[in-house]
Amino acid sequence: MNLTSQTEGQVLLINVDEPRIDASVAIQFKDQMRELSDAHPARIVVDLSRVDFIDSSGLGAIVAAMKQLGNGRTLELASLTPTVGKVFRLTRMDSVFKIHDTPAKALRAGAESP
Amino acid sequence: MSLWTSAAICRQKINASATGVRAGLAAIRAILHRHRLKEDDLGSVELVLAEVLNNIVEHAYAQRHDGVIEIFISPCEAGLAVRVFDTGAPMPDLTLPPGQPANIDVALPELPEGSFGWNLIRTVADDIQYVRVTTQNRLSFRIPLTQAPPPSETQTEQPS
């Protein structure tokens, strides 16, 4: 599981450099998300542009990654590929997560709000 | 066209493990891609099969690591007919899970992290049937396609 992160102003941008978040890597994904996000205070945006596929275990791991943030911190998603977007729509999880077309739009959306 | 009379365009035998499922899905995707399935349809097939196969690994074969799963895919009326066989434990009460949508209208700490699988299967696939034949689970379902199903003849199968 290859996750990298960079700080953009107040936002921690996490890149998922993996083609799949599935049952075989779901726990690793959740653990690495915790390590990367632990010390970060506010908004976290996850760039999923390289992820072609998630299954329900992967979806559960993304939900778990948001829940383990706690303390009013937010986890937002950017650049969902078609099949990943389908999983979010079919489970209605697209109404739970803030989803941006691109990481750049996610950063701009943050800058506009007070 | 009857659901089961046309020849399978894809037959896969996979090890019942998370890595076996991953490898099997990649092989099936490659075969269906050669049959010119569109990306949207490939995604539907992969999603349903991933949920079905993960459930077999986690529940039917639970603690066992020597399990085998067989998958057969044939063209059918406006879609693909899929059969999945395993020799793990039977479905509880020999009945498929209802697959109710997970309740997501809850506070953040209560959001579900699982139980999406059968709802996804039932949302995308139809004609879902399950029978237990002696020691074998046999699941069959249809996945509707947005395009015409591929012809059943194939170069990937050799007579054995």
Side-chain angles (χ1 to χ4, degrees):
Chain A
M1 179 59 33
N2 197 2
L3 304 188
T4 56
S5 66
Q6 66 203 77
T7 306
E8 299 276 350
Q10 298 296 307
V11 180
L12 182 72
L13 183 61
I14 295 180
N15 296 294
V16 183
D17 197 3
E18 288 282 333
R20 307 170 72 85
I21 308 174
D22 62 16
S24 64
V25 295
I27 292 170
Q28 290 174 50
F29 174 82
K30 184 180 158 183
D31 290 347
Q32 283 196 30
M33 284 293 292
R34 178 186 279 125
E35 285 167 25
L36 287 175
S37 59
D38 245 1
H40 191 80
R43 282 179 77 209
I44 295 167
V45 175
V46 182
D47 180 352
L48 292 172
S49 58
R50 291 182 176 152
V51 180
D52 298 321
F53 184 79
I54 62 168
D55 61 14
S56 64
S57 302
L59 177 66
I62 294 171
V63 174
M66 178 165 69
K67 286 165 70 173
Q68 71 194 3
L69 288 175
N71 299 329
R73 293 187 293 168
T74 62
L75 188 114
E76 300 169 28
L77 307 174
S79 301
L80 272 56
T81 58
T83 303
V84 173
K86 179 184 279 188
V87 172
F88 275 83
R89 276 196 310 282
L90 291 174
T91 56
R92 293 207 300 125
M93 278 293 168
D94 57 346
S95 66
V96 170
F97 288 87
K98 195 173 278 184
I99 297 173
H100 305 274
D101 291 344
T102 63
K105 283 190 180 174
L107 296 175
R108 279 205 297 278
E112 283 158 14
S113 57
Chain B
M1 195 189 305
S2 158
L3 213 57
W4 305 127
T5 48
S6 60
I9 56 171
C10 174
R11 297 160 188 245
Q12 283 290 311
K13 190 180 275 193
I14 69 167
N15 293 322
S17 66
T19 48
V21 168
R22 192 184 254 223
L25 290 174
I28 290 166
R29 167 178 268 274
I31 292 167
L32 295 180
H33 183 72
R34 284 205 297 276
H35 282 275
R36 303 183 188 284
L37 249 70
K38 286 194 299 194
E39 195 56 39
D40 187 28
D41 290 328
L42 287 172
S44 297
V45 174
E46 187 165 15
L47 180 57
V48 172
L49 267 178
E51 300 305 329
V52 165
L53 300 177
N54 285 338
N55 279 330
I56 292 170
V57 171
E58 289 163 24
H59 301 295
Y61 285 121
Q63 306 301 324
R64 287 173 48 189
H65 301 289
D66 58 344
V68 169
I69 308 172
E70 291 177 280
I71 303 133
F72 305 88
I73 302 177
S74 316
C76 70
E77 190 70 43
L80 293 177
V82 183
R83 289 171 292 166
V84 182
F85 296 170
D86 70 80
T87 55
M91 285 278 180
D93 302 322
L94 298 178
T95 305
L96 295 176
Q100 298 293 331
N103 182 15
I104 61 163
D105 299 314
V106 293
L108 179 71
E110 277 84 50
L111 272 178
E113 295 174 30
S115 73
F116 305 113
W118 266 96
N119 183 244
L120 283 170
I121 295 167
R122 289 191 181 278
T123 306
V124 180
D126 55 22
D127 290 348
I128 306 173
Q129 294 183 36
Y130 165 74
V131 289
R132 177 83 175 176
V133 180
T134 62
T135 59
Q136 193 176 50
N137 294 312
R138 295 182 182 178
L139 182 72
S140 63
F141 50 88
R142 189 183 77 102
I143 299 179
L145 299 181
T146 60
Q147 64 186 69
S152 57
E153 59 273 357
T154 171
Q155 292 132 14
T156 59
E157 279 184 71
Q158 303 295 331
S160 49

